[in-house]
Amino acid sequence: MSASEVFENSRKILGRIGIATVYRNLRILLDDGWLTVVSLPGEPNRYEKAGKGHHHHFVCHGCQRVFEVAVCASDLRRMTPSGFQMERHEVVLWGRCAECAE
Ligand SMILES: [Zn+2]
Ligand SMILES: [Zn+2]
């Protein structure tokens, strides 16, 4: 979730809460290592629980939500030029989630 999504969800549960409180608590949870930043091209930073297994993200253009994608592209090694050593990769899918695609 982005900070504004956390803010909206917190407001539904807690009622009155300020965006500064959301940012302050996100910072605390990041510092504690409980949260990690999800940085996607052209997107505001999002936050997810730290320590999850390898996964990617799907950005929905309809509702602006970001979903986890558990599978990974299988032919990334073939994309790597001969003699190069790939150390990490990012895969981001954009489109419409099942709800928005209806
Ligand atoms: Zn959607
Ligand atoms: Zn992957």
Side-chain angles (χ1 to χ4, degrees):
M1 282 193 278
S2 64
S4 56
E5 283 176 296
V6 173
F7 178 55
E8 288 305 321
N9 282 290
S10 304
R11 263 206 325 203
K12 280 179 202 156
I13 298 163
L14 302 169
R16 288 152 64 111
I17 183 171
I19 188 80
T21 304
V22 169
Y23 276 111
R24 191 169 57 247
N25 282 282
L26 286 174
R27 170 51 53 199
I28 291 167
L29 291 171
L30 283 169
D31 290 347
D32 284 354
W34 198 85
L35 276 184
T36 188
V37 176
V38 177
S39 179
L40 304 173
E43 293 289 325
N45 277 349
R46 288 183 169 81
Y47 306 89
E48 69 181 16
K49 196 170 183 307
K52 291 186 174 188
H54 184 79
H55 66 280
H56 295 289
H57 295 96
F58 185 107
V59 182
C60 176
H61 284 149
C63 59
Q64 318 304 325
R65 282 184 295 171
V66 172
F67 300 86
E68 284 184 22
V69 177
V71 290
C72 185
S74 56
D75 55 355
L76 290 168
R77 296 239 174 260
R78 280 197 304 154
M79 288 169 62
T80 307
S82 173
F84 285 51
Q85 293 183 335
M86 180 181 62
E87 294 175 339
R88 60 185 291 272
H89 64 266
E90 292 289 341
V91 176
V92 184
L93 306 176
W94 282 271
R96 293 188 169 268
C97 71
E99 227 172 272
C100 295
E102 272 182 7

